[in-house]
Amino acid sequence: MCAPKTLLVIAVSLFLIATKANAQQTMFISEKPPSDSEYTAQALSAAPEAIAKGAAVARMGENGEMRTLREGSNGFTCVIMGTDRMCNDRNSMEFIHAMMKHEPPPDRVGISYMLAGDKGASNTDPYANGKTADNHWIVTGPHIMVFGPPSKALGYTEAQDPDPSKPYMMWAGTPYKHAMIPVASPK
């Protein structure tokens, strides 16, 4: 059995490798990639200060390998995936890892912070790489995500085109259904 830190690094690596091409196209079109210190500050902005203080920071290198820019002490790892900043606990990283491998997600609750909001994703297709006429693209402002069985019992709307200023379920009808809970208005 892999150590939790190794499992987390593997999960982050797989997810970031899958989004590397899209990330390079969308994140740095008009600017050079941020320095490691700029990247760290941006990645940490995904989480509340109390979480960010003890969070690890990981970054995809030019060769596709994950680099740890900062060791953590609280079980959260902050990353930039595409244009989105995200800070995930171990369980949410296992959930994302399972999704990327098309495997059943773990049966544990996970929390992910995206306090910088997101640039959008399909609300119906976990594997969509961009907006199409029929994939119900949705942009959510600052929010947290709750993964696992408890999220499914919250009773939030499963509408394909929900109001992103209110809690809703993303990817309803798939094994990767999870709660999206806005915490502030989009900027």
mmCIF file of all heavy atoms in Angstrom, residues 56-85:
data_model
loop_
_atom_site.group_PDB
_atom_site.id
_atom_site.type_symbol
_atom_site.label_atom_id
_atom_site.label_comp_id
_atom_site.label_asym_id
_atom_site.label_seq_id
_atom_site.Cartn_x
_atom_site.Cartn_y
_atom_site.Cartn_z
ATOM 1 N N ALA A 56 0.733 21.956 1.337
ATOM 2 C CA ALA A 56 1.822 21.715 0.390
ATOM 3 C C ALA A 56 1.461 22.413 -0.917
ATOM 4 O O ALA A 56 0.297 22.722 -1.174
ATOM 5 C CB ALA A 56 1.987 20.218 0.150
ATOM 6 N N VAL A 57 2.454 22.654 -1.750
ATOM 7 C CA VAL A 57 2.233 23.200 -3.091
ATOM 8 C C VAL A 57 2.987 22.319 -4.067
ATOM 9 O O VAL A 57 4.170 22.019 -3.867
ATOM 10 C CB VAL A 57 2.711 24.666 -3.201
ATOM 11 C CG1 VAL A 57 2.549 25.180 -4.629
ATOM 12 C CG2 VAL A 57 1.954 25.561 -2.224
ATOM 13 N N ALA A 58 2.285 21.875 -5.111
ATOM 14 C CA ALA A 58 2.895 21.024 -6.141
ATOM 15 C C ALA A 58 2.713 21.694 -7.500
ATOM 16 O O ALA A 58 1.727 22.399 -7.730
ATOM 17 C CB ALA A 58 2.245 19.646 -6.136
ATOM 18 N N ARG A 59 3.680 21.441 -8.390
ATOM 19 C CA ARG A 59 3.657 22.048 -9.730
ATOM 20 C C ARG A 59 4.168 21.056 -10.759
ATOM 21 O O ARG A 59 5.129 20.338 -10.523
ATOM 22 C CB ARG A 59 4.535 23.286 -9.742
ATOM 23 C CG ARG A 59 4.540 24.030 -11.059
ATOM 24 C CD ARG A 59 5.399 25.260 -11.010
ATOM 25 N NE ARG A 59 5.112 26.124 -12.147
ATOM 26 C CZ ARG A 59 5.613 27.324 -12.323
ATOM 27 N NH1 ARG A 59 6.433 27.844 -11.412
ATOM 28 N NH2 ARG A 59 5.298 28.029 -13.388
ATOM 29 N N MET A 60 3.520 21.073 -11.915
ATOM 30 C CA MET A 60 3.951 20.239 -13.028
ATOM 31 C C MET A 60 5.192 20.868 -13.659
ATOM 32 O O MET A 60 5.190 22.052 -13.986
ATOM 33 C CB MET A 60 2.841 20.153 -14.082
ATOM 34 C CG MET A 60 3.235 19.417 -15.328
ATOM 35 S SD MET A 60 2.963 17.669 -15.225
ATOM 36 C CE MET A 60 1.193 17.618 -15.187
ATOM 37 N N GLY A 61 6.235 20.068 -13.820
ATOM 38 C CA GLY A 61 7.437 20.548 -14.474
ATOM 39 C C GLY A 61 7.312 20.452 -15.987
ATOM 40 O O GLY A 61 6.373 19.867 -16.521
ATOM 41 N N GLU A 62 8.260 21.018 -16.694
ATOM 42 C CA GLU A 62 8.277 20.985 -18.162
ATOM 43 C C GLU A 62 8.264 19.558 -18.700
ATOM 44 O O GLU A 62 7.728 19.291 -19.762
ATOM 45 C CB GLU A 62 9.529 21.707 -18.691
ATOM 46 C CG GLU A 62 9.580 23.173 -18.340
ATOM 47 C CD GLU A 62 8.998 24.046 -19.431
ATOM 48 O OE1 GLU A 62 8.982 23.616 -20.593
ATOM 49 O OE2 GLU A 62 8.554 25.148 -19.103
ATOM 50 N N ASN A 63 8.838 18.632 -17.945
ATOM 51 C CA ASN A 63 8.933 17.237 -18.380
ATOM 52 C C ASN A 63 7.718 16.399 -17.979
ATOM 53 O O ASN A 63 7.705 15.192 -18.185
ATOM 54 C CB ASN A 63 10.203 16.604 -17.802
ATOM 55 C CG ASN A 63 10.235 16.612 -16.281
ATOM 56 O OD1 ASN A 63 9.307 17.093 -15.631
ATOM 57 N ND2 ASN A 63 11.296 16.076 -15.721
ATOM 58 N N GLY A 64 6.701 17.046 -17.390
ATOM 59 C CA GLY A 64 5.502 16.323 -16.979
ATOM 60 C C GLY A 64 5.592 15.721 -15.591
ATOM 61 O O GLY A 64 4.636 15.125 -15.110
ATOM 62 N N GLU A 65 6.714 15.861 -14.938
ATOM 63 C CA GLU A 65 6.895 15.341 -13.575
ATOM 64 C C GLU A 65 6.394 16.367 -12.562
ATOM 65 O O GLU A 65 6.556 17.565 -12.744
ATOM 66 C CB GLU A 65 8.378 15.069 -13.300
ATOM 67 C CG GLU A 65 8.979 13.988 -14.164
ATOM 68 C CD GLU A 65 8.466 12.613 -13.818
ATOM 69 O OE1 GLU A 65 8.304 12.323 -12.615
ATOM 70 O OE2 GLU A 65 8.212 11.842 -14.754
ATOM 71 N N MET A 66 5.796 15.856 -11.488
ATOM 72 C CA MET A 66 5.351 16.739 -10.411
ATOM 73 C C MET A 66 6.536 17.131 -9.545
ATOM 74 O O MET A 66 7.378 16.301 -9.220
ATOM 75 C CB MET A 66 4.313 16.032 -9.533
ATOM 76 C CG MET A 66 2.924 16.042 -10.091
ATOM 77 S SD MET A 66 2.294 17.681 -10.468
ATOM 78 C CE MET A 66 2.089 18.378 -8.855
ATOM 79 N N ARG A 67 6.556 18.400 -9.200
ATOM 80 C CA ARG A 67 7.563 18.904 -8.272
ATOM 81 C C ARG A 67 6.848 19.445 -7.047
ATOM 82 O O ARG A 67 5.859 20.168 -7.169
ATOM 83 C CB ARG A 67 8.357 20.060 -8.882
ATOM 84 C CG ARG A 67 9.262 19.703 -10.001
ATOM 85 C CD ARG A 67 10.144 20.893 -10.420
ATOM 86 N NE ARG A 67 9.370 22.039 -10.881
ATOM 87 C CZ ARG A 67 9.539 23.299 -10.475
ATOM 88 N NH1 ARG A 67 10.442 23.588 -9.565
ATOM 89 N NH2 ARG A 67 8.801 24.277 -10.950
ATOM 90 N N THR A 68 7.353 19.118 -5.897
ATOM 91 C CA THR A 68 6.832 19.706 -4.672
ATOM 92 C C THR A 68 7.590 21.004 -4.454
ATOM 93 O O THR A 68 8.810 20.995 -4.292
ATOM 94 C CB THR A 68 7.016 18.757 -3.474
ATOM 95 O OG1 THR A 68 6.286 17.558 -3.740
ATOM 96 C CG2 THR A 68 6.516 19.388 -2.186
ATOM 97 N N LEU A 69 6.860 22.118 -4.476
ATOM 98 C CA LEU A 69 7.488 23.413 -4.246
ATOM 99 C C LEU A 69 7.547 23.749 -2.766
ATOM 100 O O LEU A 69 8.408 24.513 -2.337
ATOM 101 C CB LEU A 69 6.719 24.527 -4.971
ATOM 102 C CG LEU A 69 6.606 24.396 -6.486
ATOM 103 C CD1 LEU A 69 5.837 25.583 -7.058
ATOM 104 C CD2 LEU A 69 7.982 24.293 -7.122
ATOM 105 N N ARG A 70 6.615 23.166 -2.028
ATOM 106 C CA ARG A 70 6.561 23.421 -0.590
ATOM 107 C C ARG A 70 5.946 22.213 0.078
ATOM 108 O O ARG A 70 4.881 21.734 -0.322
ATOM 109 C CB ARG A 70 5.718 24.666 -0.333
ATOM 110 C CG ARG A 70 5.642 25.072 1.118
ATOM 111 C CD ARG A 70 4.876 26.357 1.253
ATOM 112 N NE ARG A 70 3.601 26.091 1.898
ATOM 113 C CZ ARG A 70 2.805 27.023 2.356
ATOM 114 N NH1 ARG A 70 3.112 28.298 2.203
ATOM 115 N NH2 ARG A 70 1.670 26.711 2.950
ATOM 116 N N GLU A 71 6.594 21.709 1.099
ATOM 117 C CA GLU A 71 6.049 20.606 1.890
ATOM 118 C C GLU A 71 4.895 21.139 2.735
ATOM 119 O O GLU A 71 4.874 22.307 3.112
ATOM 120 C CB GLU A 71 7.131 20.015 2.807
ATOM 121 C CG GLU A 71 8.282 19.357 2.077
ATOM 122 C CD GLU A 71 7.906 18.071 1.359
ATOM 123 O OE1 GLU A 71 6.949 17.388 1.797
ATOM 124 O OE2 GLU A 71 8.550 17.748 0.350
ATOM 125 N N GLY A 72 3.949 20.275 3.033
ATOM 126 C CA GLY A 72 2.800 20.670 3.834
ATOM 127 C C GLY A 72 2.742 19.918 5.143
ATOM 128 O O GLY A 72 3.440 18.922 5.343
ATOM 129 N N SER A 73 1.872 20.389 6.026
ATOM 130 C CA SER A 73 1.726 19.753 7.336
ATOM 131 C C SER A 73 0.269 19.458 7.696
ATOM 132 O O SER A 73 0.010 18.913 8.760
ATOM 133 C CB SER A 73 2.334 20.661 8.411
ATOM 134 O OG SER A 73 1.666 21.915 8.435
ATOM 135 N N ASN A 74 -0.691 19.801 6.798
ATOM 136 C CA ASN A 74 -2.091 19.634 7.179
ATOM 137 C C ASN A 74 -2.899 18.722 6.244
ATOM 138 O O ASN A 74 -4.120 18.661 6.348
ATOM 139 C CB ASN A 74 -2.776 21.003 7.293
ATOM 140 C CG ASN A 74 -2.848 21.749 5.971
ATOM 141 O OD1 ASN A 74 -2.449 21.244 4.932
ATOM 142 N ND2 ASN A 74 -3.340 22.970 6.029
ATOM 143 N N GLY A 75 -2.248 18.045 5.318
ATOM 144 C CA GLY A 75 -2.948 17.122 4.432
ATOM 145 C C GLY A 75 -3.557 17.758 3.192
ATOM 146 O O GLY A 75 -4.180 17.065 2.392
ATOM 147 N N PHE A 76 -3.397 19.063 2.999
ATOM 148 C CA PHE A 76 -3.896 19.738 1.801
ATOM 149 C C PHE A 76 -2.739 20.016 0.847
ATOM 150 O O PHE A 76 -1.616 20.293 1.282
ATOM 151 C CB PHE A 76 -4.572 21.066 2.158
ATOM 152 C CG PHE A 76 -5.962 20.895 2.690
ATOM 153 C CD1 PHE A 76 -6.183 20.616 4.032
ATOM 154 C CD2 PHE A 76 -7.066 20.992 1.848
ATOM 155 C CE1 PHE A 76 -7.460 20.451 4.530
ATOM 156 C CE2 PHE A 76 -8.353 20.821 2.336
ATOM 157 C CZ PHE A 76 -8.552 20.549 3.682
ATOM 158 N N THR A 77 -3.035 19.941 -0.445
ATOM 159 C CA THR A 77 -2.065 20.285 -1.480
ATOM 160 C C THR A 77 -2.721 21.270 -2.430
ATOM 161 O O THR A 77 -3.808 21.014 -2.953
ATOM 162 C CB THR A 77 -1.601 19.042 -2.260
ATOM 163 O OG1 THR A 77 -0.993 18.131 -1.341
ATOM 164 C CG2 THR A 77 -0.605 19.412 -3.341
ATOM 165 N N CYS A 78 -2.060 22.394 -2.653
ATOM 166 C CA CYS A 78 -2.571 23.422 -3.552
ATOM 167 C C CYS A 78 -1.837 23.339 -4.886
ATOM 168 O O CYS A 78 -0.608 23.169 -4.915
ATOM 169 C CB CYS A 78 -2.398 24.801 -2.939
ATOM 170 S SG CYS A 78 -3.310 25.024 -1.379
ATOM 171 N N VAL A 79 -2.614 23.448 -5.967
ATOM 172 C CA VAL A 79 -2.080 23.355 -7.321
ATOM 173 C C VAL A 79 -2.835 24.329 -8.221
ATOM 174 O O VAL A 79 -3.896 24.827 -7.864
ATOM 175 C CB VAL A 79 -2.224 21.923 -7.894
ATOM 176 C CG1 VAL A 79 -1.405 20.921 -7.108
ATOM 177 C CG2 VAL A 79 -3.677 21.507 -7.956
ATOM 178 N N ILE A 80 -2.283 24.559 -9.392
ATOM 179 C CA ILE A 80 -2.991 25.276 -10.440
ATOM 180 C C ILE A 80 -3.209 24.264 -11.551
ATOM 181 O O ILE A 80 -2.260 23.666 -12.055
ATOM 182 C CB ILE A 80 -2.200 26.491 -10.948
ATOM 183 C CG1 ILE A 80 -1.960 27.481 -9.803
ATOM 184 C CG2 ILE A 80 -2.940 27.157 -12.104
ATOM 185 C CD1 ILE A 80 -1.070 28.655 -10.159
ATOM 186 N N MET A 81 -4.480 24.043 -11.896
ATOM 187 C CA MET A 81 -4.833 23.093 -12.949
ATOM 188 C C MET A 81 -5.492 23.874 -14.068
ATOM 189 O O MET A 81 -6.595 24.399 -13.881
ATOM 190 C CB MET A 81 -5.756 22.010 -12.402
ATOM 191 C CG MET A 81 -5.043 21.117 -11.404
ATOM 192 S SD MET A 81 -6.045 19.737 -10.858
ATOM 193 C CE MET A 81 -6.758 20.428 -9.386
ATOM 194 N N GLY A 82 -4.813 23.970 -15.184
ATOM 195 C CA GLY A 82 -5.309 24.820 -16.257
ATOM 196 C C GLY A 82 -5.238 26.252 -15.785
ATOM 197 O O GLY A 82 -4.171 26.747 -15.428
ATOM 198 N N THR A 83 -6.379 26.902 -15.736
ATOM 199 C CA THR A 83 -6.429 28.277 -15.234
ATOM 200 C C THR A 83 -7.002 28.330 -13.825
ATOM 201 O O THR A 83 -7.178 29.408 -13.274
ATOM 202 C CB THR A 83 -7.300 29.150 -16.159
ATOM 203 O OG1 THR A 83 -8.603 28.577 -16.222
ATOM 204 C CG2 THR A 83 -6.693 29.254 -17.549
ATOM 205 N N ASP A 84 -7.316 27.182 -13.256
ATOM 206 C CA ASP A 84 -7.977 27.132 -11.953
ATOM 207 C C ASP A 84 -7.009 26.824 -10.821
ATOM 208 O O ASP A 84 -6.148 25.952 -10.928
ATOM 209 C CB ASP A 84 -9.082 26.070 -11.959
ATOM 210 C CG ASP A 84 -10.183 26.402 -12.948
ATOM 211 O OD1 ASP A 84 -10.415 27.591 -13.212
ATOM 212 O OD2 ASP A 84 -10.811 25.459 -13.454
ATOM 213 N N ARG A 85 -7.198 27.540 -9.722
ATOM 214 C CA ARG A 85 -6.427 27.306 -8.498
ATOM 215 C C ARG A 85 -7.274 26.449 -7.580
ATOM 216 O O ARG A 85 -8.460 26.709 -7.395
ATOM 217 C CB ARG A 85 -6.117 28.638 -7.840
ATOM 218 C CG ARG A 85 -5.335 29.542 -8.740
ATOM 219 C CD ARG A 85 -5.340 30.941 -8.216
ATOM 220 N NE ARG A 85 -4.825 31.821 -9.258
ATOM 221 C CZ ARG A 85 -5.117 33.086 -9.348
ATOM 222 N NH1 ARG A 85 -5.917 33.649 -8.481
ATOM 223 N NH2 ARG A 85 -4.612 33.806 -10.311
#
